[in-house]
């Protein structure tokens, strides 16, 4: 205890014990543990950063691929439409060529056409004139001329009418069944107004 005015210590001061320092093996173990903890924390942080960057890049690539897919789909649709138009054009050209060749090889194909055209006209509009190309008129007269005459039809020749076609005229009606007219109606029905019969 201190007394007033006395500066002496009342008790003996004790020194703290000297610290015990770790051994070299303990220091190495501490360093290894710190290194492993640092590695694990750095690895986890790097993995999280890399994953975030990878996801961002993947999202950008996915968006790019989706754009390419849409563009490709549109181009494919356009190509389909172009191919369909080209195939239709080719089919019309082939049909035109086949029809012309068929009429040259087998001119009697005019008979079903004449029967069809005659069938469009009501019986009440008789008598009627059937106008044909001179070569076709001969074939029609030989094949069904008598039948047409009994029905009140008159077969007449017109050099202006193409082979394989006919025109029917009555006092109140006219049916144009010429090859070029039929061809134009067929092409128009298929949306091809620019395919000419004689082209």
């Amino acid at each position: 205890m201190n007394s007033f005015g006395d500066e002496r210590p009342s008790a003996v001061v004790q020194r703290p014990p000297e610290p015990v320092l770790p051994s070299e093996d303990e220091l190495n173990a501490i360093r290894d543990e710190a290194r492993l903890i640092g590695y694990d924390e750095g690895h986890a942080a790097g993995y999280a950063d890399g994953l975030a960057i990878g996801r961002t890049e993947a999202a950008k690539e996915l968006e790019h691929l989706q754009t390419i897919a849409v563009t490709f789909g549109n181009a494919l649709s356009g190509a389909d439409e172009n191919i369909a138009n080209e195939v239709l054009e080719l089919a019309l050209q082939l049909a035109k060529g086949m029809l012309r060749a068929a009429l040259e090889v087998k001119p009697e194909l005019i008979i079903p056409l004449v029967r069809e055209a005659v069938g469009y006209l009501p019986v009440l509009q008789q008598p009627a004139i059937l106008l044909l190309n001179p070569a076709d008129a001969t074939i029609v007269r030989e094949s069904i001329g008598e039948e047409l005459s009994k029905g009140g039809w008159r077969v007449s020749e017109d050099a202006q009418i193409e082979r394989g076609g006919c025109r029917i005229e009555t006092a109140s009606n006219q049916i144009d069944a010429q090859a070029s007219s039929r061809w134009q109606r067929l092409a128009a029905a298929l949306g091809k107004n620019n395919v000419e019969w004689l082209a």
Side-chain angles (χ1 to χ4, degrees):
M1 199 173 315
N2 289 344
S3 59
F4 291 106
D6 189 3
E7 304 256 337
R8 291 180 286 162
S10 61
V12 177
V13 177
Q14 289 186 343
R15 290 179 144 197
E18 221 162 283
V20 179
L21 297 176
S23 69
E24 191 66 31
D25 288 338
E26 292 173 329
L27 285 174
N28 286 337
I30 292 170
R31 281 188 205 109
D32 288 343
E33 187 179 343
R35 189 178 298 118
L36 285 175
I37 291 171
Y39 175 81
D40 289 343
E41 289 175 358
H43 182 269
Y47 182 81
D49 289 347
L51 186 61
I53 291 170
R55 284 185 176 157
T56 302
E57 290 298 319
K60 287 179 186 176
E61 285 301 315
L62 179 61
E63 185 178 331
H64 180 66
L65 288 174
Q66 287 172 335
T67 302
I68 289 172
V70 167
T71 302
F72 181 73
N74 291 342
L76 192 58
S77 294
D80 283 349
E81 188 174 319
N82 288 339
I83 290 170
N85 283 333
E86 293 297 324
V87 167
L88 178 60
E89 188 82 28
L90 177 63
L92 287 172
Q93 295 301 330
L94 287 172
K96 180 170 47 173
M98 289 172 63
L99 180 60
R100 285 182 177 168
L103 288 171
E104 290 174 16
V105 172
K106 199 170 181 181
E108 61 271 11
L109 290 174
I110 188 69
I111 302 301
L113 173 76
V114 168
R115 287 188 186 278
E116 183 181 351
V118 166
Y120 282 129
L121 198 63
V123 177
L124 299 174
Q125 292 191 5
Q126 306 293 341
I129 301 172
L130 177 64
L131 298 160
L132 296 159
N133 180 281
D136 290 339
T138 304
I139 295 168
V140 168
R141 282 188 188 109
E142 291 172 0
S143 298
I144 58 171
E146 191 174 314
E147 178 185 332
L148 290 172
S149 294
K150 288 179 183 176
W153 290 87
R154 191 178 82 205
V155 177
S156 183
E157 296 177 5
D158 185 347
Q160 298 292 324
I161 295 177
E162 305 158 350
R163 293 272 335 248
C166 67
R167 197 171 67 232
I168 296 174
E169 293 180 355
T170 67
S172 61
N173 210 348
Q174 181 176 346
I175 297 173
D176 187 357
Q178 295 182 73
S180 58
S181 300
R182 291 190 331 258
W183 184 257
Q184 289 303 321
R185 286 192 295 270
L186 172 66
L190 295 173
K192 293 288 184 181
N193 296 327
N194 58 348
V195 181
E196 296 295 326
W197 171 247
L198 295 175

